[in-house]
Amino acid sequence: MKTQSVTIIDYGMGNLWSIISALQYLGCNPEISNDPNGIQNADALILPGVGSFRKAMCALKENNLDQAIADAVKTKGSKILGICLGMQLLGADSTEDGFTSGLGLIPSGVDKFSTQNKGTYKIPHVGFNLVHSHPEAHLFKGLPQTADFYFVHSYRMSPDGLSGLSATCNYGDIFLASYEQDNIFATQFHPEKSQTNGLLLLQNFLTH
């Protein structure tokens, strides 16, 4: 059954209009909110994000959105999709601009790409790249197990030991491209900028 209500979390560091346009194309009219009460009571949440992990966490905390997200996901059971920086914010912590704790919904830290292969792999990682998904991953239902998605990032999560790992990507080293466990979903890539593949993935989130 299609999600009746989707709330995009607006904390001043996300490209909201691309996501809004993609969702509207799929027949969904999302709400945009920076209100903790509205976020806490939403049935489904999307956490976008571009920029610095530290600044983003400060923005979430300043508006009590970190607690609202935790209450919605952990207590109410709302589903959430973190996109790009939004995925990283769901993690345990990040080393970007110094150590900063995250929302702790994904048990993995965020680190910068290794500079070992810097000559071959330019940082940031920008453009389409192949994503290898788990055959039972809900977000990738109807997609080939190897499909291309659009990335823009310099930091990433390791997939090692994560039970919620649903897809990986190789850019000098293998990193977590997508995560799903219970009501928590996340993509390091931008589905809203990934053409047909991204639209299908968003549709799969809406209908889960």
Side-chain angles (χ1 to χ4, degrees):
M1 181 179 291
K2 189 171 182 178
T3 299
Q4 296 300 308
S5 173
V6 179
T7 299
I8 300 174
I9 301 168
D10 181 11
Y11 60 103
M13 294 185 65
N15 184 2
L16 304 187
W17 292 112
S18 293
I19 299 171
I20 292 168
S21 296
L23 294 175
Q24 288 178 337
Y25 179 85
L26 294 171
C28 174
N29 290 310
E31 296 183 18
I32 304 167
S33 180
N34 60 3
D35 173 48
N37 289 329
I39 290 167
Q40 185 175 341
N41 292 306
D43 293 325
L45 296 166
I46 293 180
L47 179 64
V50 291
S52 160
F53 186 103
R54 178 183 288 273
K55 290 180 181 178
M57 280 305 303
C58 287
L60 289 174
K61 290 181 177 180
E62 283 175 3
N63 296 290
N64 297 317
L65 301 184
D66 57 332
Q67 189 59 53
I69 293 169
D71 289 343
V73 175
K74 292 181 179 179
T75 304
K76 187 176 184 293
S78 306
K79 64 182 180 182
I80 188 169
L81 173 65
I83 296 175
C84 195
L85 176 60
M87 172 180 177
Q88 296 178 6
L89 294 171
L90 296 179
D93 50 60
S94 174
T95 58
E96 185 176 5
D97 297 329
F99 181 88
T100 307
S101 295
L103 295 169
L105 297 175
I106 299 176
S108 181
V110 180
D111 291 298
K112 194 168 187 177
F113 276 111
S114 170
T115 58
Q116 184 175 357
N117 299 314
K118 189 173 181 180
T120 306
Y121 297 93
K122 296 185 182 299
I123 301 170
H125 174 207
V126 178
F128 281 88
N129 202 346
L130 292 177
V131 168
H132 308 279
S133 61
H134 190 281
E136 297 180 4
H138 178 79
L139 287 179
F140 295 86
K141 183 179 179 181
L143 286 162
Q145 279 186 253
T146 300
D148 57 348
F149 290 88
Y150 187 80
F151 292 87
V152 183
H153 63 124
S154 299
Y155 287 75
R156 81 288 188 263
M157 287 182 177
S158 168
D160 295 344
L162 277 182
S163 60
L165 182 154
S166 62
T168 59
C169 181
N170 190 338
Y171 191 71
D173 57 6
I174 295 174
F175 65 90
L176 185 69
S178 179
Y179 178 94
E180 56 183 76
Q181 181 140 0
D182 300 325
N183 56 332
I184 300 169
F185 300 84
T187 63
Q188 181 59 67
F189 52 83
H190 287 271
E192 77 282 8
K193 297 181 180 180
S194 298
Q195 303 175 355
T196 304
N197 289 344
L199 289 172
L200 181 52
L201 185 141
L202 288 172
Q203 183 68 55
N204 287 338
F205 172 72
L206 294 174
T207 57
H208 181 70

